[in-house]
Amino acid sequence: MANGETPASDAPILHDPRLNDPDGELVGASALLPDDLESVLEVLEAMRGWRTAERSMSETSQQYMRLSEVDMRALRVLIAAHRQRIPMTPSAIATQLGVSTASTTRLLDRLERGGHVVRRPHPADRRSIVIEVTPETRVAARESVGRDHARRFDVIAALAPHERRVVADFFTAMTATAHRGAGEAG
C-alpha cells in the first residue's frame, strides 16, 4: 500500500516516509513529486515482497533438506566446486563461508553424519582432504534450490539487455548501502 493510506489490518506500513519520517529527518521524500514518491514506494514494496518470498523459499529448502542456512550455503559452494572440478578443502570452505576453521570442522562433521558429504584424499596433495557432496544430496539440492534458481534465471533472461543493466546497477547500489550501513553500525 504505497499511497499512504492506513492498511485494512493493524499492521503498520514500514517504508512510507510520509508516515514514518514525516519531518524528513532521514528521507528527503519532500523533494519528490507525488507520482515519483509513489513509484519509489512501489519499488520498496516490491523489494519487501521479494525478501519475504526469498526468505520463505530458503526456509522451505532448509526444512526439505533438514539443514541450517550455513549448511545450505556450504552445500551450494561444494556443488558449484564439483561442477567446476575445483577440489574443496576444509580451509577453502571456511574461506568461502567466512567462518572459522573450527566452525567448519563442526559443520563438516554434521553434514557427514547426515549423509550429505564425504571426506576423500586430495587428488594432488596426500597431506590434505577434499570434501564432496553425496550424489543423493546433490539431487535433492537440484530439485529444491536448483529449480528455484532456474526460475529466477529465466525471469532475468526475459529482460532486455538494457533492463538487465539497470537492474544490476540497482542491486549494486543497494548492496553498497548495506555495506555503508554495516560500517556505520560499529
Side-chain angles (χ1 to χ4, degrees):
M1 181 166 293
N3 60 8
E5 297 174 13
T6 304
S9 72
D10 290 336
I13 296 172
L14 302 178
H15 56 263
D16 190 332
R18 295 170 296 192
L19 302 172
N20 298 318
D21 186 25
D23 297 327
E25 295 173 30
L26 296 173
V27 179
S30 64
L32 295 174
L33 296 173
D35 286 348
D36 290 335
L37 178 58
E38 291 302 322
S39 67
V40 168
L41 295 176
E42 184 179 0
V43 170
L44 288 169
E45 179 61 24
M47 287 172 51
R48 187 203 60 76
W50 163 245
R51 280 194 313 268
T52 300
E54 202 236 356
R55 200 171 16 251
S56 176
M57 285 186 308
S58 178
E59 289 169 2
T60 299
S61 293
Q62 289 172 32
Q63 289 170 357
Y64 171 73
M65 295 188 68
R66 296 183 179 102
L67 298 169
S68 74
E69 181 181 348
V70 173
D71 295 345
M72 293 291 288
R73 285 179 38 222
L75 291 177
R76 185 168 183 200
V77 166
L78 289 165
I79 290 168
H82 172 80
R83 288 276 188 191
Q84 298 167 38
R85 293 183 171 83
I86 300 170
M88 290 301 288
T89 63
S91 62
I93 294 167
T95 300
Q96 284 291 308
L97 298 178
V99 298
S100 71
T101 54
S103 293
T104 302
T105 298
R106 288 190 299 275
L107 165 82
L108 295 176
D109 289 346
R110 188 170 58 247
L111 290 174
E112 188 173 45
R113 277 192 310 273
H116 298 291
V117 300
V118 293
R119 290 172 164 103
R120 300 203 190 282
H122 194 289
D125 181 358
R126 293 182 339 178
R127 298 167 296 153
S128 187
I129 62 167
V130 294
I131 309 301
E132 296 177 359
V133 174
T134 63
E136 299 81 13
T137 294
R138 196 174 302 114
V139 168
R142 180 182 180 91
E143 292 305 312
S144 60
V145 178
R147 297 271 180 228
D148 291 339
H149 179 70
R151 285 190 290 274
R152 289 188 297 270
F153 183 91
D154 291 344
V155 168
I156 296 165
L159 297 172
H162 72 278
E163 293 171 320
R164 288 192 294 267
R165 178 77 269 140
V166 168
V167 171
D169 289 347
F170 168 77
F171 279 110
T172 299
M174 292 303 287
T175 300
T177 69
H179 291 308
R180 263 194 311 273
E184 293 169 0

